[in-house]
Amino acid sequence: MHSVAVLALDDVVPFDMAAPMQVFDWTHLPDGRPGYRVRLCAESEEVRADGGFALRVEHGLHALTEADTIIVPGRSPVAGPPSPRVLAALRDAAAAGTRIASVCVGAFVLAEAGLLDGLRATTHWVAAGDLARRFPAVEVQPDVLYVDNGQILTSAGAAAALDMCLHMIRRDLGSAVAAHAARMSVMPLEREGGQAQFIVYDHPPVPRGSTLEPVLEWVEDNLAHEITLGAMAARSGMSERTFSRRFREQTGSTPLQWVLRARVRRAQYLLENTSHPVERVARQAGFGSPTAFRERFRRVVGTTPQAYRAAFHAKDAVPAAAGS
């Protein structure tokens, strides 16, 4: 039987810990036998959980040496660094060929142990920038649900841990067993799109009092119309070349990239809060055609406008007017 050890560190996030434990525990072979033996382990007998309670844990770090797979859940933002004993145990397990996976910000623990150096990895999109800054040897991919490097896997938020676990189950035991585990978890075996559809895209920051503030407000108010570099430069009283240089200096983005991102944000809002047809959303967001809108939206958000609306449409959305 495949053995899974879930490593609970102080300030562990309960959902990050429980989600993989449950999905592996629900996995059964066609003859009814359990597919996995799941153990919760920790450095000490009592672990402080994020949320104000403590856990009694029966298995110590020795369980890592006996595991085929180790899962490292995320921890509270106030958690201190992992202990040297924990990091050493993870390195030893990796050296022995054990499969190791992280949930959400559990990726930081793997990075601290040096297990992500030179690899692609993901984490919750809110923490992706911090992971990239702190561990430059890691190739952070913030827009995916999980990354499988073979022996080392990382997932985004706790819900994405289910996607990753189902992927591992399919690798271990086949699609039929994984499909049954997905049904037990009330999850699709594969979700359309990645983490990009959940990311809140902020515009690049503009210093307060910047000469760009008026023109960017004008852009937001006129996204449904054609917006050219020349028009933005003219409103700022600069040549196109000077405007482009100042824009990049103050936002870190080109004017075209900024406008396209603003249009995608507007489209996301309309898909969430109205029932307007996709063609109308495309016009209101300033895209030249529905085809161009769909292509750009999928490139940025990672899914189609229709799938995004199905996932995030508000119940009290404004209905489409007749004939619209």
Side-chain angles (χ1 to χ4, degrees), residues 176-230:
V177 173
H180 181 263
R183 286 192 291 271
M184 292 297 294
S185 302
V186 197
M187 279 280 294
L189 187 53
E190 290 187 7
R191 280 197 283 170
E192 180 176 359
Q195 191 177 187
Q197 61 190 301
F198 303 101
I199 297 174
V200 178
Y201 291 100
D202 292 326
H203 289 315
V206 178
R208 186 173 298 278
S210 164
T211 54
L212 294 180
E213 280 190 320
V215 71
L216 294 183
E217 291 177 359
W218 174 79
V219 169
E220 291 278 8
D221 291 339
N222 290 274
L223 287 174
H225 308 292
E226 181 181 8
I227 299 173
T228 65
L229 175 63

Tab-separated table of all heavy atoms in Angstrom, residues 176-230:
chain	number	residue	atom	x	y	z
A	176	ALA	N	-9.331	5.395	-13.721
A	176	ALA	CA	-10.606	4.955	-13.140
A	176	ALA	C	-10.630	5.188	-11.638
A	176	ALA	O	-11.634	5.681	-11.087
A	176	ALA	CB	-10.843	3.475	-13.454
A	177	VAL	N	-9.534	4.858	-10.965
A	177	VAL	CA	-9.462	5.078	-9.514
A	177	VAL	C	-9.481	6.571	-9.211
A	177	VAL	O	-10.163	7.025	-8.287
A	177	VAL	CB	-8.191	4.414	-8.932
A	177	VAL	CG1	-8.019	4.790	-7.460
A	177	VAL	CG2	-8.263	2.901	-9.087
A	178	ALA	N	-8.756	7.353	-10.005
A	178	ALA	CA	-8.724	8.803	-9.789
A	178	ALA	C	-10.097	9.416	-10.024
A	178	ALA	O	-10.513	10.330	-9.297
A	178	ALA	CB	-7.686	9.448	-10.707
A	179	ALA	N	-10.816	8.931	-11.031
A	179	ALA	CA	-12.153	9.463	-11.307
A	179	ALA	C	-13.095	9.199	-10.137
A	179	ALA	O	-13.915	10.052	-9.774
A	179	ALA	CB	-12.713	8.847	-12.585
A	180	HIS	N	-12.996	8.016	-9.528
A	180	HIS	CA	-13.837	7.712	-8.368
A	180	HIS	C	-13.472	8.617	-7.191
A	180	HIS	O	-14.357	9.122	-6.488
A	180	HIS	CB	-13.676	6.246	-7.968
A	180	HIS	CG	-14.543	5.867	-6.793
A	180	HIS	ND1	-14.060	5.850	-5.500
A	180	HIS	CD2	-15.855	5.520	-6.725
A	180	HIS	CE1	-15.042	5.505	-4.681
A	180	HIS	NE2	-16.142	5.289	-5.386
A	181	ALA	N	-12.169	8.837	-6.974
A	181	ALA	CA	-11.739	9.743	-5.901
A	181	ALA	C	-12.247	11.156	-6.158
A	181	ALA	O	-12.621	11.871	-5.231
A	181	ALA	CB	-10.215	9.733	-5.785
A	182	ALA	N	-12.270	11.568	-7.427
A	182	ALA	CA	-12.784	12.894	-7.769
A	182	ALA	C	-14.269	12.997	-7.454
A	182	ALA	O	-14.740	14.004	-6.912
A	182	ALA	CB	-12.529	13.180	-9.249
A	183	ARG	N	-15.025	11.955	-7.768
A	183	ARG	CA	-16.462	11.976	-7.457
A	183	ARG	C	-16.694	12.034	-5.951
A	183	ARG	O	-17.581	12.747	-5.473
A	183	ARG	CB	-17.147	10.746	-8.057
A	183	ARG	CG	-17.322	10.813	-9.565
A	183	ARG	CD	-18.249	9.726	-10.057
A	183	ARG	NE	-17.654	8.411	-9.928
A	183	ARG	CZ	-16.910	7.827	-10.866
A	183	ARG	NH1	-16.675	8.473	-11.989
A	183	ARG	NH2	-16.417	6.624	-10.679
A	184	MET	N	-15.890	11.291	-5.198
A	184	MET	CA	-16.029	11.326	-3.747
A	184	MET	C	-15.700	12.708	-3.185
A	184	MET	O	-16.251	13.123	-2.163
A	184	MET	CB	-15.112	10.278	-3.108
A	184	MET	CG	-15.517	8.841	-3.391
A	184	MET	SD	-17.141	8.435	-2.702
A	184	MET	CE	-16.805	8.551	-0.936
A	185	SER	N	-14.809	13.423	-3.856
A	185	SER	CA	-14.415	14.770	-3.414
A	185	SER	C	-15.303	15.848	-4.010
A	185	SER	O	-15.101	17.033	-3.754
A	185	SER	CB	-12.963	15.041	-3.811
A	185	SER	OG	-12.090	14.078	-3.265
A	186	VAL	N	-16.298	15.425	-4.822
A	186	VAL	CA	-17.188	16.353	-5.533
A	186	VAL	C	-16.335	17.362	-6.320
A	186	VAL	O	-16.504	18.572	-6.230
A	186	VAL	CB	-18.159	17.073	-4.576
A	186	VAL	CG1	-19.327	17.678	-5.354
A	186	VAL	CG2	-18.697	16.122	-3.510
A	187	MET	N	-15.402	16.814	-7.073
A	187	MET	CA	-14.466	17.603	-7.866
A	187	MET	C	-14.402	17.040	-9.273
A	187	MET	O	-14.513	15.830	-9.455
A	187	MET	CB	-13.049	17.512	-7.262
A	187	MET	CG	-12.787	18.423	-6.105
A	187	MET	SD	-12.419	20.110	-6.664
A	187	MET	CE	-10.854	19.853	-7.527
A	188	PRO	N	-14.219	17.903	-10.290
A	188	PRO	CA	-13.908	17.360	-11.614
A	188	PRO	C	-12.499	16.781	-11.600
A	188	PRO	O	-11.629	17.260	-10.864
A	188	PRO	CB	-13.994	18.595	-12.529
A	188	PRO	CG	-13.716	19.751	-11.625
A	188	PRO	CD	-14.277	19.367	-10.274
A	189	LEU	N	-12.268	15.751	-12.388
A	189	LEU	CA	-10.929	15.164	-12.437
A	189	LEU	C	-9.929	16.157	-12.994
A	189	LEU	O	-8.768	16.180	-12.592
A	189	LEU	CB	-10.945	13.886	-13.285
A	189	LEU	CG	-9.656	13.049	-13.311
A	189	LEU	CD1	-9.192	12.712	-11.894
A	189	LEU	CD2	-9.872	11.779	-14.119
A	190	GLU	N	-10.386	17.000	-13.923
A	190	GLU	CA	-9.555	18.073	-14.453
A	190	GLU	C	-10.389	19.335	-14.538
A	190	GLU	O	-11.503	19.309	-15.071
A	190	GLU	CB	-9.008	17.726	-15.839
A	190	GLU	CG	-7.970	16.622	-15.839
A	190	GLU	CD	-7.338	16.439	-17.209
A	190	GLU	OE1	-7.611	17.256	-18.104
A	190	GLU	OE2	-6.580	15.472	-17.377
A	191	ARG	N	-9.855	20.427	-14.017
A	191	ARG	CA	-10.553	21.710	-14.107
A	191	ARG	C	-10.041	22.504	-15.296
A	191	ARG	O	-8.847	22.484	-15.591
A	191	ARG	CB	-10.330	22.530	-12.830
A	191	ARG	CG	-11.209	22.120	-11.691
A	191	ARG	CD	-11.260	23.192	-10.636
A	191	ARG	NE	-10.065	23.238	-9.809
A	191	ARG	CZ	-9.796	24.213	-8.946
A	191	ARG	NH1	-10.621	25.233	-8.834
A	191	ARG	NH2	-8.709	24.172	-8.204
A	192	GLU	N	-10.955	23.211	-15.961
A	192	GLU	CA	-10.535	24.057	-17.069
A	192	GLU	C	-9.842	25.294	-16.520
A	192	GLU	O	-10.258	25.881	-15.521
A	192	GLU	CB	-11.734	24.476	-17.924
A	192	GLU	CG	-11.340	25.353	-19.101
A	192	GLU	CD	-12.514	25.698	-20.003
A	192	GLU	OE1	-13.624	25.236	-19.721
A	192	GLU	OE2	-12.304	26.444	-20.968
A	193	GLY	N	-8.777	25.697	-17.191
A	193	GLY	CA	-8.065	26.901	-16.777
A	193	GLY	C	-7.151	26.641	-15.601
A	193	GLY	O	-7.115	25.562	-15.027
A	194	GLY	N	-6.398	27.639	-15.221
A	194	GLY	CA	-5.477	27.514	-14.106
A	194	GLY	C	-5.778	28.539	-13.039
A	194	GLY	O	-6.897	29.050	-12.930
A	195	GLN	N	-4.767	28.861	-12.253
A	195	GLN	CA	-4.930	29.811	-11.167
A	195	GLN	C	-5.141	31.230	-11.684
A	195	GLN	O	-5.640	32.091	-10.968
A	195	GLN	CB	-3.683	29.745	-10.256
A	195	GLN	CG	-3.847	30.478	-8.959
A	195	GLN	CD	-2.662	30.369	-8.027
A	195	GLN	OE1	-2.739	30.812	-6.897
A	195	GLN	NE2	-1.566	29.795	-8.476
A	196	ALA	N	-4.765	31.457	-12.956
A	196	ALA	CA	-4.861	32.812	-13.508
A	196	ALA	C	-6.269	33.372	-13.415
A	196	ALA	O	-6.460	34.579	-13.248
A	196	ALA	CB	-4.390	32.824	-14.969
A	197	GLN	N	-7.281	32.514	-13.502
A	197	GLN	CA	-8.659	33.011	-13.476
A	197	GLN	C	-9.048	33.557	-12.100
A	197	GLN	O	-10.031	34.275	-11.973
A	197	GLN	CB	-9.620	31.909	-13.893
A	197	GLN	CG	-9.608	30.693	-12.993
A	197	GLN	CD	-10.382	29.536	-13.567
A	197	GLN	OE1	-11.579	29.664	-13.823
A	197	GLN	NE2	-9.712	28.416	-13.779
A	198	PHE	N	-8.282	33.218	-11.072
A	198	PHE	CA	-8.598	33.684	-9.725
A	198	PHE	C	-7.785	34.915	-9.320
A	198	PHE	O	-8.043	35.527	-8.297
A	198	PHE	CB	-8.334	32.569	-8.712
A	198	PHE	CG	-9.106	31.311	-9.008
A	198	PHE	CD1	-8.486	30.236	-9.631
A	198	PHE	CD2	-10.445	31.207	-8.691
A	198	PHE	CE1	-9.190	29.071	-9.914
A	198	PHE	CE2	-11.162	30.060	-8.980
A	198	PHE	CZ	-10.530	28.992	-9.592
A	199	ILE	N	-6.771	35.252	-10.110
A	199	ILE	CA	-5.880	36.345	-9.741
A	199	ILE	C	-6.588	37.686	-9.919
A	199	ILE	O	-7.245	37.924	-10.933
A	199	ILE	CB	-4.592	36.317	-10.595
A	199	ILE	CG1	-3.819	35.012	-10.325
A	199	ILE	CG2	-3.716	37.522	-10.313
A	199	ILE	CD1	-2.606	34.830	-11.223
A	200	VAL	N	-6.456	38.539	-8.938
A	200	VAL	CA	-6.942	39.914	-9.055
A	200	VAL	C	-5.809	40.742	-9.639
A	200	VAL	O	-4.784	40.953	-8.995
A	200	VAL	CB	-7.366	40.484	-7.685
A	200	VAL	CG1	-7.809	41.937	-7.846
A	200	VAL	CG2	-8.484	39.646	-7.081
A	201	TYR	N	-5.980	41.173	-10.871
A	201	TYR	CA	-4.908	41.887	-11.561
A	201	TYR	C	-4.949	43.365	-11.210
A	201	TYR	O	-5.856	44.091	-11.616
A	201	TYR	CB	-5.037	41.709	-13.072
A	201	TYR	CG	-4.756	40.307	-13.532
A	201	TYR	CD1	-5.789	39.431	-13.823
A	201	TYR	CD2	-3.449	39.848	-13.655
A	201	TYR	CE1	-5.531	38.136	-14.238
A	201	TYR	CE2	-3.186	38.552	-14.066
A	201	TYR	CZ	-4.230	37.712	-14.361
A	201	TYR	OH	-3.974	36.427	-14.762
A	202	ASP	N	-3.991	43.812	-10.461
A	202	ASP	CA	-3.874	45.229	-10.141
A	202	ASP	C	-3.072	45.925	-11.231
A	202	ASP	O	-2.151	45.356	-11.808
A	202	ASP	CB	-3.159	45.423	-8.802
A	202	ASP	CG	-3.995	44.923	-7.634
A	202	ASP	OD1	-5.226	45.051	-7.716
A	202	ASP	OD2	-3.411	44.401	-6.674
A	203	HIS	N	-3.435	47.169	-11.479
A	203	HIS	CA	-2.621	47.953	-12.398
A	203	HIS	C	-1.271	48.229	-11.755
A	203	HIS	O	-1.158	48.311	-10.525
A	203	HIS	CB	-3.302	49.288	-12.715
A	203	HIS	CG	-4.524	49.151	-13.573
A	203	HIS	ND1	-4.562	48.345	-14.685
A	203	HIS	CD2	-5.751	49.709	-13.477
A	203	HIS	CE1	-5.762	48.423	-15.240
A	203	HIS	NE2	-6.500	49.241	-14.523
A	204	PRO	N	-0.224	48.393	-12.554
A	204	PRO	CA	1.050	48.804	-11.969
A	204	PRO	C	0.868	50.089	-11.178
A	204	PRO	O	0.119	50.983	-11.595
A	204	PRO	CB	1.948	49.034	-13.196
A	204	PRO	CG	1.340	48.179	-14.268
A	204	PRO	CD	-0.136	48.206	-14.002
A	205	PRO	N	1.502	50.219	-10.022
A	205	PRO	CA	1.309	51.412	-9.193
A	205	PRO	C	1.827	52.671	-9.875
A	205	PRO	O	2.845	52.650	-10.555
A	205	PRO	CB	2.134	51.099	-7.937
A	205	PRO	CG	3.149	50.100	-8.382
A	205	PRO	CD	2.468	49.273	-9.442
A	206	VAL	N	1.080	53.735	-9.698
A	206	VAL	CA	1.490	55.038	-10.224
A	206	VAL	C	1.677	55.969	-9.043
A	206	VAL	O	0.783	56.104	-8.209
A	206	VAL	CB	0.409	55.609	-11.175
A	206	VAL	CG1	0.832	56.989	-11.674
A	206	VAL	CG2	0.179	54.659	-12.339
A	207	PRO	N	2.838	56.604	-8.902
A	207	PRO	CA	3.066	57.495	-7.760
A	207	PRO	C	1.997	58.565	-7.668
A	207	PRO	O	1.563	59.116	-8.676
A	207	PRO	CB	4.445	58.105	-8.070
A	207	PRO	CG	5.107	57.124	-8.988
A	207	PRO	CD	3.996	56.512	-9.796
A	208	ARG	N	1.538	58.820	-6.425
A	208	ARG	CA	0.517	59.848	-6.207
A	208	ARG	C	1.031	61.192	-6.708
A	208	ARG	O	2.172	61.568	-6.467
A	208	ARG	CB	0.181	59.947	-4.723
A	208	ARG	CG	-0.982	60.900	-4.410
A	208	ARG	CD	-1.363	60.806	-2.941
A	208	ARG	NE	-1.810	59.457	-2.606
A	208	ARG	CZ	-3.047	59.008	-2.821
A	208	ARG	NH1	-3.941	59.795	-3.407
A	208	ARG	NH2	-3.389	57.772	-2.475
A	209	GLY	N	0.175	61.891	-7.431
A	209	GLY	CA	0.573	63.177	-7.985
A	209	GLY	C	1.325	63.051	-9.289
A	209	GLY	O	1.778	64.054	-9.848
A	210	SER	N	1.446	61.837	-9.817
A	210	SER	CA	2.175	61.621	-11.061
A	210	SER	C	1.471	62.324	-12.215
A	210	SER	O	0.249	62.478	-12.236
A	210	SER	CB	2.270	60.121	-11.347
A	210	SER	OG	2.631	59.893	-12.688
A	211	THR	N	2.252	62.697	-13.203
A	211	THR	CA	1.674	63.322	-14.401
A	211	THR	C	0.834	62.322	-15.190
A	211	THR	O	0.065	62.720	-16.070
A	211	THR	CB	2.790	63.863	-15.306
A	211	THR	OG1	3.713	62.792	-15.589
A	211	THR	CG2	3.540	65.001	-14.631
A	212	LEU	N	0.954	61.042	-14.873
A	212	LEU	CA	0.190	60.032	-15.591
A	212	LEU	C	-1.220	59.843	-15.048
A	212	LEU	O	-2.074	59.287	-15.742
A	212	LEU	CB	0.920	58.684	-15.543
A	212	LEU	CG	2.255	58.583	-16.268
A	212	LEU	CD1	2.818	57.182	-16.105
A	212	LEU	CD2	2.094	58.915	-17.753
A	213	GLU	N	-1.469	60.259	-13.821
A	213	GLU	CA	-2.777	59.988	-13.208
A	213	GLU	C	-3.945	60.466	-14.060
A	213	GLU	O	-4.897	59.706	-14.303
A	213	GLU	CB	-2.849	60.600	-11.816
A	213	GLU	CG	-2.155	59.770	-10.754
A	213	GLU	CD	-2.446	60.286	-9.357
A	213	GLU	OE1	-2.481	61.518	-9.168
A	213	GLU	OE2	-2.647	59.453	-8.469
A	214	PRO	N	-3.938	61.710	-14.577
A	214	PRO	CA	-5.093	62.166	-15.373
A	214	PRO	C	-5.302	61.335	-16.636
A	214	PRO	O	-6.443	61.004	-16.980
A	214	PRO	CB	-4.747	63.623	-15.699
A	214	PRO	CG	-3.787	64.034	-14.635
A	214	PRO	CD	-2.985	62.808	-14.325
A	215	VAL	N	-4.226	60.985	-17.327
A	215	VAL	CA	-4.397	60.247	-18.572
A	215	VAL	C	-4.866	58.821	-18.297
A	215	VAL	O	-5.658	58.258	-19.059
A	215	VAL	CB	-3.108	60.262	-19.416
A	215	VAL	CG1	-2.014	59.404	-18.797
A	215	VAL	CG2	-3.406	59.784	-20.836
A	216	LEU	N	-4.435	58.227	-17.183
A	216	LEU	CA	-4.877	56.868	-16.873
A	216	LEU	C	-6.352	56.853	-16.470
A	216	LEU	O	-7.080	55.911	-16.784
A	216	LEU	CB	-4.005	56.268	-15.764
A	216	LEU	CG	-2.532	56.034	-16.142
A	216	LEU	CD1	-1.782	55.368	-15.009
A	216	LEU	CD2	-2.423	55.205	-17.411
A	217	GLU	N	-6.802	57.893	-15.791
A	217	GLU	CA	-8.232	58.006	-15.492
A	217	GLU	C	-9.032	58.138	-16.777
A	217	GLU	O	-10.110	57.551	-16.920
A	217	GLU	CB	-8.476	59.211	-14.576
A	217	GLU	CG	-7.930	59.030	-13.160
A	217	GLU	CD	-8.135	60.272	-12.312
A	217	GLU	OE1	-8.686	61.262	-12.847
A	217	GLU	OE2	-7.747	60.250	-11.133
A	218	TRP	N	-8.484	58.913	-17.736
A	218	TRP	CA	-9.150	59.075	-19.032
A	218	TRP	C	-9.223	57.732	-19.763
A	218	TRP	O	-10.254	57.401	-20.368
A	218	TRP	CB	-8.390	60.105	-19.866
A	218	TRP	CG	-8.905	60.241	-21.271
A	218	TRP	CD1	-10.002	60.933	-21.687
A	218	TRP	CD2	-8.339	59.627	-22.443
A	218	TRP	NE1	-10.160	60.805	-23.038
A	218	TRP	CE2	-9.152	60.024	-23.537
A	218	TRP	CE3	-7.230	58.836	-22.679
A	218	TRP	CZ2	-8.883	59.609	-24.844
A	218	TRP	CZ3	-6.970	58.420	-23.971
A	218	TRP	CH2	-7.781	58.805	-25.035
A	219	VAL	N	-8.148	56.957	-19.701
A	219	VAL	CA	-8.144	55.637	-20.332
A	219	VAL	C	-9.236	54.759	-19.736
A	219	VAL	O	-10.007	54.110	-20.461
A	219	VAL	CB	-6.764	54.957	-20.172
A	219	VAL	CG1	-6.849	53.486	-20.577
A	219	VAL	CG2	-5.719	55.677	-21.015
A	220	GLU	N	-9.340	54.719	-18.401
A	220	GLU	CA	-10.364	53.897	-17.742
A	220	GLU	C	-11.765	54.305	-18.169
A	220	GLU	O	-12.655	53.469	-18.311
A	220	GLU	CB	-10.226	54.027	-16.216
A	220	GLU	CG	-8.982	53.387	-15.641
A	220	GLU	CD	-9.134	51.890	-15.430
A	220	GLU	OE1	-10.151	51.317	-15.869
A	220	GLU	OE2	-8.234	51.290	-14.837
A	221	ASP	N	-11.979	55.609	-18.392
A	221	ASP	CA	-13.302	56.104	-18.763
A	221	ASP	C	-13.624	55.873	-20.238
A	221	ASP	O	-14.783	56.033	-20.657
A	221	ASP	CB	-13.409	57.606	-18.466
A	221	ASP	CG	-13.412	57.903	-16.978
A	221	ASP	OD1	-13.732	56.979	-16.197
A	221	ASP	OD2	-13.075	59.038	-16.596
A	222	ASN	N	-12.617	55.521	-21.043
A	222	ASN	CA	-12.820	55.435	-22.495
A	222	ASN	C	-12.377	54.093	-23.077
A	222	ASN	O	-12.037	54.011	-24.255
A	222	ASN	CB	-12.057	56.571	-23.188
A	222	ASN	CG	-12.658	57.928	-22.919
A	222	ASN	OD1	-13.578	58.374	-23.612
A	222	ASN	ND2	-12.149	58.602	-21.891
A	223	LEU	N	-12.411	53.052	-22.258
A	223	LEU	CA	-11.941	51.750	-22.723
A	223	LEU	C	-12.763	51.214	-23.892
A	223	LEU	O	-12.254	50.440	-24.706
A	223	LEU	CB	-11.969	50.737	-21.567
A	223	LEU	CG	-10.888	50.912	-20.502
A	223	LEU	CD1	-11.130	49.947	-19.346
A	223	LEU	CD2	-9.504	50.688	-21.098
A	224	ALA	N	-14.028	51.607	-23.984
A	224	ALA	CA	-14.875	51.111	-25.078
A	224	ALA	C	-14.497	51.727	-26.421
A	224	ALA	O	-14.945	51.253	-27.467
A	224	ALA	CB	-16.348	51.382	-24.771
A	225	HIS	N	-13.686	52.758	-26.406
A	225	HIS	CA	-13.308	53.453	-27.639
A	225	HIS	C	-11.861	53.142	-27.994
A	225	HIS	O	-11.092	52.618	-27.184
A	225	HIS	CB	-13.487	54.961	-27.468
A	225	HIS	CG	-14.851	55.351	-26.969
A	225	HIS	ND1	-15.994	55.205	-27.714
A	225	HIS	CD2	-15.248	55.861	-25.766
A	225	HIS	CE1	-17.041	55.610	-27.013
A	225	HIS	NE2	-16.612	56.017	-25.830
A	226	GLU	N	-11.478	53.483	-29.197
A	226	GLU	CA	-10.093	53.283	-29.621
A	226	GLU	C	-9.172	54.211	-28.826
A	226	GLU	O	-9.448	55.413	-28.684
A	226	GLU	CB	-9.945	53.571	-31.120
A	226	GLU	CG	-8.530	53.352	-31.625
A	226	GLU	CD	-8.380	53.656	-33.103
A	226	GLU	OE1	-9.350	54.176	-33.701
A	226	GLU	OE2	-7.305	53.373	-33.661
A	227	ILE	N	-8.112	53.662	-28.293
A	227	ILE	CA	-7.146	54.438	-27.521
A	227	ILE	C	-5.773	54.217	-28.137
A	227	ILE	O	-5.264	53.094	-28.137
A	227	ILE	CB	-7.141	54.010	-26.036
A	227	ILE	CG1	-8.507	54.248	-25.411
A	227	ILE	CG2	-6.061	54.763	-25.259
A	227	ILE	CD1	-8.638	53.700	-24.000
A	228	THR	N	-5.197	55.264	-28.677
A	228	THR	CA	-3.902	55.149	-29.334
A	228	THR	C	-2.803	55.757	-28.467
A	228	THR	O	-3.068	56.560	-27.560
A	228	THR	CB	-3.904	55.859	-30.692
A	228	THR	OG1	-4.086	57.277	-30.468
A	228	THR	CG2	-5.031	55.335	-31.582
A	229	LEU	N	-1.589	55.356	-28.755
A	229	LEU	CA	-0.438	55.947	-28.065
A	229	LEU	C	-0.398	57.447	-28.303
A	229	LEU	O	-0.131	58.228	-27.385
A	229	LEU	CB	0.853	55.285	-28.553
A	229	LEU	CG	2.159	55.872	-28.009
A	229	LEU	CD1	2.233	55.714	-26.496
A	229	LEU	CD2	3.360	55.186	-28.670
A	230	GLY	N	-0.713	57.855	-29.544
A	230	GLY	CA	-0.696	59.275	-29.857
A	230	GLY	C	-1.699	60.061	-29.034
A	230	GLY	O	-1.402	61.162	-28.557
